[in-house]
Amino acid sequence: MASAITTLAADAPTLSAANTGFMLICSALVMLMTPGLAFFYGGMVRVKSSLNMLMMSFVSLGIVTILWVLYGFSLAFGTDSGSVIGWNSDYVGLSGIGITELWDGYTIPVYVFAVFQLMFAVITPALISGALADRVKFSAWVLFTGLWVTVVYFPVAHWVWGAGGWLFELGVIDFAGGTAVHINAGAAALGVILVIGKRVGFKKDPMRPHSLPLVMLGAGLLWFGWFGFNAGSWLGNDDGVGAVMFVNTQVATAAAMLAWLGYEKLRHGSFTTLGAASGAVAGLVAITPAGGSVSPLGAIAVGAIAGVLCAMAVGLKYKFGYDDSLDVVGVHLVGGVAGSLLVGLFATGGVQSDAAGLFYGGGLEQLGKQAIGVFAVLAYSLVVSAVLALLLDKTIGMRVTEDAEVSGIDQNEHAETAYDFSGAGGGAAPRSTAVTAPVAAASKKVDA
């Protein structure tokens, strides 16, 4: 008995300074993705909406952080209840956690795991905001964010990653968030825009990006931060899986960017900077669930397939008439679905787990599991998000007035403008005709 106890004690994980430091760096990289997303989205909108777009991403850092500490971590990663939600009173307020207490079976503290997962929770609602550009009240967005993470993100995170969560127990592979983050956000975006409707002038007025350099900067920051997002999701660096994920992240992103550029050259005749940025993000999205299961050659396939599918998908909003302002549905929903399902084809069975895909002798079993995960999260998020948007729209109202939308949501919601066209200096602009008239006129020139 004594020798058995000694053996168990020897096998118990101990705190690793290297893994702890690595995960803190990864957490900081994932945090950087939210400001990167703000730049990416902020450059894609018209000048009169750019500050609002920045704020819709940035405010998530405040709202979700507080809710995560109060109860979000407990709901997502607490003790399982019925395979659908977690709860642990020690995690409420993060007050019952020892500073050296290790996360279950790993060599990093619970605090480190909690802050890493917090950054995932922060960026997911921020992703939704790109679909709603130009037309949503900031106060309504703040309320929606708090409600959405509570009733959608926290439970779905438990399904996918929490011990006992039903998709986790089913064997659905989602290395870093294809279902929990990207399908979740993309489906939510679709649900909300079906409720709130189109922008004024959709398919009539020019709605081109006002700053492609900002878009490229944002895409670059996202690409950089995504290495922490993906490689860090193995929660350590002891067995090489994180290194494979790092390589596959780079490879798939490159393949998707080139595939998107090739598609738009054939389809539209030009290689565009917006296409390069969007293609890179599509590759990052698609490899997120798959990168721990595929080889680098498989990552090329995943990226290339996703690049073409997402490039094709962004035009569907014009065909079907839904106004997805910045292509959240086309990139995040379609890219997340593609990457998650392609696990069932390209999983080698020799990296993250022994689950093999169809092309590696595993048959259709894993593809079936992936499909269940994809469509369960998609349906739940779409329906619940639409209901939340409808409730807010019928109570406080989700949209700004038509006059506010036309004149500029930045001025009306934030009393500021992104750029000083009058030459009188920066800062907040007063709500006066003397200031707003030249700003509105200059905005029209930039849009044109």
mmCIF file of all heavy atoms in Angstrom, residues 225-242:
data_model
loop_
_atom_site.group_PDB
_atom_site.id
_atom_site.type_symbol
_atom_site.label_atom_id
_atom_site.label_comp_id
_atom_site.label_asym_id
_atom_site.label_seq_id
_atom_site.Cartn_x
_atom_site.Cartn_y
_atom_site.Cartn_z
ATOM 1 N N GLY A 225 -1.505 36.994 -32.851
ATOM 2 C CA GLY A 225 -2.121 36.530 -31.616
ATOM 3 C C GLY A 225 -2.654 35.120 -31.696
ATOM 4 O O GLY A 225 -2.735 34.411 -30.687
ATOM 5 N N TRP A 226 -3.005 34.693 -32.917
ATOM 6 C CA TRP A 226 -3.602 33.365 -33.094
ATOM 7 C C TRP A 226 -2.642 32.236 -32.745
ATOM 8 O O TRP A 226 -3.069 31.124 -32.431
ATOM 9 C CB TRP A 226 -4.100 33.203 -34.527
ATOM 10 C CG TRP A 226 -5.449 32.548 -34.642
ATOM 11 C CD1 TRP A 226 -5.762 31.253 -34.369
ATOM 12 C CD2 TRP A 226 -6.670 33.161 -35.084
ATOM 13 N NE1 TRP A 226 -7.093 31.010 -34.621
ATOM 14 C CE2 TRP A 226 -7.680 32.168 -35.068
ATOM 15 C CE3 TRP A 226 -6.999 34.447 -35.515
ATOM 16 C CZ2 TRP A 226 -8.993 32.421 -35.454
ATOM 17 C CZ3 TRP A 226 -8.313 34.693 -35.892
ATOM 18 C CH2 TRP A 226 -9.290 33.700 -35.856
ATOM 19 N N PHE A 227 -1.352 32.483 -32.770
ATOM 20 C CA PHE A 227 -0.409 31.447 -32.342
ATOM 21 C C PHE A 227 -0.613 31.111 -30.867
ATOM 22 O O PHE A 227 -0.504 29.950 -30.456
ATOM 23 C CB PHE A 227 1.030 31.886 -32.602
ATOM 24 C CG PHE A 227 1.393 31.942 -34.060
ATOM 25 C CD1 PHE A 227 1.738 33.138 -34.660
ATOM 26 C CD2 PHE A 227 1.377 30.801 -34.835
ATOM 27 C CE1 PHE A 227 2.067 33.203 -36.009
ATOM 28 C CE2 PHE A 227 1.702 30.844 -36.191
ATOM 29 C CZ PHE A 227 2.046 32.047 -36.772
ATOM 30 N N GLY A 228 -0.925 32.131 -30.058
ATOM 31 C CA GLY A 228 -1.257 31.865 -28.663
ATOM 32 C C GLY A 228 -2.601 31.189 -28.528
ATOM 33 O O GLY A 228 -2.774 30.275 -27.719
ATOM 34 N N PHE A 229 -3.553 31.622 -29.323
ATOM 35 C CA PHE A 229 -4.902 31.064 -29.341
ATOM 36 C C PHE A 229 -4.849 29.565 -29.612
ATOM 37 O O PHE A 229 -5.505 28.772 -28.930
ATOM 38 C CB PHE A 229 -5.665 31.788 -30.457
ATOM 39 C CG PHE A 229 -7.152 31.622 -30.468
ATOM 40 C CD1 PHE A 229 -7.963 32.453 -29.713
ATOM 41 C CD2 PHE A 229 -7.762 30.691 -31.289
ATOM 42 C CE1 PHE A 229 -9.346 32.351 -29.752
ATOM 43 C CE2 PHE A 229 -9.137 30.577 -31.343
ATOM 44 C CZ PHE A 229 -9.940 31.404 -30.561
ATOM 45 N N ASN A 230 -4.080 29.174 -30.622
ATOM 46 C CA ASN A 230 -4.046 27.778 -31.049
ATOM 47 C C ASN A 230 -3.017 26.944 -30.299
ATOM 48 O O ASN A 230 -3.348 25.935 -29.682
ATOM 49 C CB ASN A 230 -3.780 27.695 -32.549
ATOM 50 C CG ASN A 230 -5.028 27.963 -33.372
ATOM 51 O OD1 ASN A 230 -6.111 28.139 -32.834
ATOM 52 N ND2 ASN A 230 -4.883 28.000 -34.680
ATOM 53 N N ALA A 231 -1.761 27.355 -30.349
ATOM 54 C CA ALA A 231 -0.718 26.545 -29.703
ATOM 55 C C ALA A 231 -0.930 26.455 -28.204
ATOM 56 O O ALA A 231 -0.644 25.426 -27.581
ATOM 57 C CB ALA A 231 0.658 27.132 -30.021
ATOM 58 N N GLY A 232 -1.458 27.531 -27.603
ATOM 59 C CA GLY A 232 -1.674 27.513 -26.167
ATOM 60 C C GLY A 232 -2.786 26.592 -25.719
ATOM 61 O O GLY A 232 -2.849 26.216 -24.544
ATOM 62 N N SER A 233 -3.657 26.194 -26.621
ATOM 63 C CA SER A 233 -4.810 25.392 -26.228
ATOM 64 C C SER A 233 -4.460 23.973 -25.815
ATOM 65 O O SER A 233 -5.331 23.246 -25.313
ATOM 66 C CB SER A 233 -5.850 25.376 -27.365
ATOM 67 O OG SER A 233 -6.466 26.640 -27.490
ATOM 68 N N TRP A 234 -3.226 23.555 -26.021
ATOM 69 C CA TRP A 234 -2.786 22.261 -25.497
ATOM 70 C C TRP A 234 -2.368 22.371 -24.038
ATOM 71 O O TRP A 234 -2.101 21.369 -23.376
ATOM 72 C CB TRP A 234 -1.651 21.694 -26.343
ATOM 73 C CG TRP A 234 -1.421 20.225 -26.175
ATOM 74 C CD1 TRP A 234 -0.268 19.617 -25.759
ATOM 75 C CD2 TRP A 234 -2.350 19.153 -26.419
ATOM 76 N NE1 TRP A 234 -0.410 18.247 -25.723
ATOM 77 C CE2 TRP A 234 -1.694 17.938 -26.131
ATOM 78 C CE3 TRP A 234 -3.671 19.114 -26.841
ATOM 79 C CZ2 TRP A 234 -2.313 16.698 -26.258
ATOM 80 C CZ3 TRP A 234 -4.291 17.877 -26.971
ATOM 81 C CH2 TRP A 234 -3.611 16.696 -26.676
ATOM 82 N N LEU A 235 -2.297 23.594 -23.515
ATOM 83 C CA LEU A 235 -2.016 23.897 -22.106
ATOM 84 C C LEU A 235 -0.634 23.462 -21.645
ATOM 85 O O LEU A 235 -0.411 23.214 -20.464
ATOM 86 C CB LEU A 235 -3.080 23.279 -21.185
ATOM 87 C CG LEU A 235 -4.533 23.648 -21.483
ATOM 88 C CD1 LEU A 235 -5.446 23.039 -20.426
ATOM 89 C CD2 LEU A 235 -4.726 25.147 -21.547
ATOM 90 N N GLY A 236 0.273 23.380 -22.554
ATOM 91 C CA GLY A 236 1.643 23.023 -22.187
ATOM 92 C C GLY A 236 2.457 22.764 -23.429
ATOM 93 O O GLY A 236 1.952 22.810 -24.545
ATOM 94 N N ASN A 237 3.718 22.482 -23.227
ATOM 95 C CA ASN A 237 4.607 22.326 -24.376
ATOM 96 C C ASN A 237 5.564 21.159 -24.159
ATOM 97 O O ASN A 237 6.738 21.228 -24.505
ATOM 98 C CB ASN A 237 5.393 23.629 -24.583
ATOM 99 C CG ASN A 237 5.962 23.746 -25.973
ATOM 100 O OD1 ASN A 237 5.442 23.178 -26.924
ATOM 101 N ND2 ASN A 237 7.066 24.471 -26.100
ATOM 102 N N ASP A 238 5.028 20.066 -23.561
ATOM 103 C CA ASP A 238 5.886 18.953 -23.172
ATOM 104 C C ASP A 238 5.996 17.845 -24.214
ATOM 105 O O ASP A 238 6.970 17.091 -24.214
ATOM 106 C CB ASP A 238 5.368 18.323 -21.866
ATOM 107 C CG ASP A 238 5.425 19.288 -20.702
ATOM 108 O OD1 ASP A 238 6.341 20.129 -20.678
ATOM 109 O OD2 ASP A 238 4.546 19.208 -19.829
ATOM 110 N N ASP A 239 4.986 17.707 -25.100
ATOM 111 C CA ASP A 239 4.948 16.529 -25.967
ATOM 112 C C ASP A 239 4.932 16.847 -27.458
ATOM 113 O O ASP A 239 4.750 15.960 -28.285
ATOM 114 C CB ASP A 239 3.736 15.664 -25.623
ATOM 115 C CG ASP A 239 2.419 16.441 -25.689
ATOM 116 O OD1 ASP A 239 2.442 17.604 -26.154
ATOM 117 O OD2 ASP A 239 1.386 15.885 -25.278
ATOM 118 N N GLY A 240 5.083 18.100 -27.828
ATOM 119 C CA GLY A 240 5.186 18.451 -29.237
ATOM 120 C C GLY A 240 3.883 18.759 -29.934
ATOM 121 O O GLY A 240 3.889 19.255 -31.064
ATOM 122 N N VAL A 241 2.730 18.497 -29.296
ATOM 123 C CA VAL A 241 1.451 18.752 -29.958
ATOM 124 C C VAL A 241 1.256 20.248 -30.191
ATOM 125 O O VAL A 241 0.804 20.676 -31.255
ATOM 126 C CB VAL A 241 0.282 18.169 -29.136
ATOM 127 C CG1 VAL A 241 -1.060 18.536 -29.776
ATOM 128 C CG2 VAL A 241 0.417 16.655 -29.028
ATOM 129 N N GLY A 242 1.610 21.062 -29.207
ATOM 130 C CA GLY A 242 1.508 22.499 -29.368
ATOM 131 C C GLY A 242 2.368 23.009 -30.509
ATOM 132 O O GLY A 242 1.978 23.933 -31.237
#
